[in-house]
Amino acid sequence: MSALRVMIADDHTLVREGIRSLLSKLAEVEVIGEAKDGIDAVRFCKQHAPDVVLMDIAMPELNGLDATTRIADASPSTRVLFLSMHANEEYMQQALQMGAAGYLLKGADLKELEFAIRSVARGERYLTPAVAKYMVEGYRNKGRNGATQLAQLTSRQREILQLIAEGHSTKDIAGRLNLSVKTIETHRAQVMKRLQIHDVAGLVRFAIRKGLVRADH
């Protein structure tokens, strides 16, 4: 049996090294690459098509949620397993809606990590028991609560929101995304309208609260 080919996407070098060290203890699991942000993760998957990506949520340039949707297009055979510190229903719901195959907390032990990797590699979906109860409750309340705030935004709008929260100017964002300044301003206005937030500081606080960026960025 050939080894499962795994890629680790996390913007912290020590976290990537720690996960790589843990996975080295597992039989028939091979770490074939690492990525420090969502853009690198998408690029790597397009070139190498790993079996499983261990994905963080909050990463610079492109967060793990939106990277997952791009990976689904770039490498359809790749399964994304989120490794997150966030144990709440909205993060899990967003991850699954973006095409993730599983969601695991970073506090999980090696045995659970191995089980999750092998489960998603077989085409199954894995939710760690520690947070699965939130998802069940979330589906029960879905009809009453409607869409989450993040779900109101398009992938492009979330990408622009993240770049705004990271401190990039409108001109810089336009250059990075190969769009006009006017288009970026239009997207920003739509984001503010949908979220009912009326200043950039409010957008930054929202992005931090929702895990798109970290407070230390």
Side-chain angles (χ1 to χ4, degrees), residues 71-204:
I71 288 171
D73 292 331
S75 179
S77 64
T78 297
R79 306 279 285 174
V80 176
L81 172 63
F82 273 89
L83 281 180
S84 174
M85 60 184 293
H86 302 290
N88 66 58
E89 178 266 336
E90 184 169 354
Y91 285 112
M92 288 185 295
Q93 186 179 65
Q94 282 292 304
L96 296 179
Q97 286 176 347
M98 297 301 168
Y103 194 99
L104 184 65
L105 292 182
K106 286 185 175 179
D109 60 22
L110 179 58
K111 184 177 181 180
E112 185 178 8
L113 176 59
E114 179 181 15
F115 185 79
I117 290 173
R118 297 194 189 284
S119 294
V120 300
R122 289 194 300 267
E124 301 170 5
R125 178 167 287 179
Y126 183 84
L127 293 178
T128 180
V131 292
K133 63 181 181 180
Y134 293 101
M135 182 60 72
V136 173
E137 186 63 28
Y139 280 122
R140 287 176 180 170
N141 295 332
K142 187 175 181 180
R144 296 195 298 271
N145 294 341
T148 64
Q149 287 178 295
L150 278 179
Q152 297 177 50
L153 305 180
T154 66
S155 178
R156 176 65 81 187
Q157 288 169 347
R158 283 191 303 273
E159 185 176 8
I160 291 171
L161 169 61
Q162 177 176 347
L163 291 172
I164 290 172
E166 290 176 354
H168 297 285
S169 68
T170 300
K171 183 178 180 181
D172 185 31
I173 295 171
R176 286 170 178 266
L177 302 182
N178 197 28
L179 298 171
S180 69
V181 168
K182 184 176 181 180
T183 297
I184 301 302
E185 290 175 342
T186 298
H187 278 302
R188 184 177 65 181
Q190 291 172 342
V191 168
M192 288 182 170
K193 182 178 180 181
R194 292 187 180 188
L195 298 179
Q196 291 297 295
I197 297 174
H198 306 294
D199 55 49
V200 171
L203 292 179
V204 173

